[in-house]
Amino acid sequence: MERMRIAVAGASGLIGSALVRSLTADGHEVVRLVRRAAAGPDEVCWDPVGQYVDAGGLTGCAAVVNLAGAGIGDRRWTPSYKRVLRDSRVLGTAALAEAVAALPEPPRVFVSGSAIGIYGDTGDRTVDEGAPPGDGFLPSLCVEWEEAAAPAQEAGVRTVFARTGLVVARGGGAWGRLFPLFRAGLGGRLGDGRQYWSYISLHDEVAALRRLIDDGTLSGPFNLTAPQPLTNREITAAMARVLHRPAPFAVPAPVLRAVLGDMAGDVLAGQRVVPRRLLEAGFRFAFPGIEEAIRAA
């Protein structure tokens, strides 16, 4: 990649912080969007829910990357927290897209976060980017999330939707909660374990995002998942092998529903998602297998 000025929203999150480290290490100028007064030229003040962006701070940016949003698994999905999940994504994306569209010299690309949750429960059916949205809270949220980027698209900015799967990383996300359980010998399958999980290593997630930023021929939705999804049962066995711990437990579906509420439906649902468009673009995964991804984490 040529050296460029890149704005990143969600720069303090699991994926955002890893992306910022990668870009900075290669000499790019990274501007972070922050929810307070900017402390220097490398920060831009914004309020995603209030739909405010100090657009002047985006001047000269060749790319804007939006990875902001409240944590899906951070809290039980009460009606109020569902609103937080939606507003943090939909309103924030709309604000950024409008700011990008209004710039005298817009960036070359707007990479907007999304998720494979858009497909809903696919069971054991393999789906790629051509599949329609599913039913339920997460699919409808993802549809709104992507539609919020319309102002950037209408302004002629190349717009990419990074539909991310389960990121295998030690420091956060779903796997950040799984590692301590398995290390303590308390790991196990969820429900019957037959539901497919579409995962991606943090290294490959960042590499894919960088490819989406740099390649001017790529636009629209891209699934950021490893090529071979596995069942929760298979992933549980792989975690046990890599960490040299038994995984004797299984969390019954009724218990998950009692603890997680509405979120349990998505934990127990299967998503057999493949990254067809990334592979067609020639992207090569460094850690395509689950054991490789776990060891890398």
Side-chain angles (χ1 to χ4, degrees):
M1 293 172 64
E2 62 178 276
R3 292 187 180 182
M4 61 181 80
R5 178 177 168 90
I6 300 172
V8 179
S12 62
L14 171 67
I15 299 171
S17 59
L19 176 63
V20 168
R21 285 194 301 270
S22 176
L23 291 170
T24 304
D26 283 346
H28 297 287
E29 180 186 356
V30 177
V31 179
R32 300 168 177 81
L33 276 79
V34 296
R35 296 179 180 85
R36 50 171 172 74
D42 62 341
E43 293 184 347
V44 174
C45 176
W46 83 314
D47 177 3
V49 176
Q51 295 192 278
Y52 166 76
V53 180
D54 181 6
L58 302 180
T59 301
C61 287
V64 174
V65 182
N66 175 28
L67 301 174
I72 289 289
D74 287 358
R75 288 168 51 189
R76 189 183 177 93
W77 288 0
T78 61
S80 61
Y81 194 61
K82 284 183 178 180
R83 174 61 60 179
V84 170
L85 292 174
R86 178 197 174 275
D87 289 352
S88 64
R89 287 165 172 77
V90 176
L91 299 182
T93 299
L96 266 180
E98 289 167 4
V100 161
L103 289 172
E105 292 187 20
R108 287 179 242 163
V109 60
F110 180 47
V111 177
S112 191
S114 186
I116 61 170
I118 196 168
Y119 304 113
D121 186 353
T122 70
D124 60 1
R125 175 172 55 92
T126 300
V127 298
D128 60 24
E129 291 87 352
D135 299 317
F137 171 69
L138 274 184
S140 62
L141 170 60
C142 291
V143 168
E144 283 192 84
W145 194 2
E146 293 187 6
E147 288 177 344
Q153 290 177 297
E154 292 165 0
V157 177
R158 179 171 66 89
T159 302
V160 187
F161 301 103
R163 294 177 175 174
T164 297
L166 293 167
V167 179
V168 185
R170 187 179 60 184
W175 247 274
R177 294 175 174 83
L178 290 178
F179 273 117
L181 289 175
F182 276 84
R183 288 188 185 281
L186 300 175
R189 70 181 188 275
L190 303 179
D192 62 16
R194 296 176 184 172
Q195 67 273 31
Y196 275 87
W197 279 16
S198 297
Y199 63 90
I200 185 170
S201 72
L202 181 58
H203 175 98
D204 286 327
E205 171 78 10
V206 170
L209 287 171
R210 292 195 56 169
R211 177 66 181 274
L212 297 177
I213 293 170
D214 191 47
D215 191 334
T217 68
L218 306 181
S219 63
F222 281 80
N223 293 333
L224 272 55
T225 61
Q228 297 293 333
L230 297 173
T231 64
N232 173 257
R233 185 185 295 267
E234 291 170 321
I235 288 175
T236 296
M239 288 282 285
R241 286 194 301 272
V242 173
L243 297 176
H244 305 291
R245 294 288 190 276
F249 301 104
V251 184
V255 174
L256 282 171
R257 293 189 181 96
V259 173
L260 301 179
D262 288 353
M263 194 195 315
D266 292 275
V267 170
L268 296 168
Q271 291 192 310
R272 196 174 186 177
V273 180
V274 294
R276 175 181 59 82
R277 297 195 67 205
L278 267 183
L279 294 174
E280 289 176 351
F283 181 80
R284 294 185 179 183
F285 288 82
F287 305 103
I290 187 60
E291 291 196 17
E292 300 167 272
I294 295 169
R295 288 193 179 96

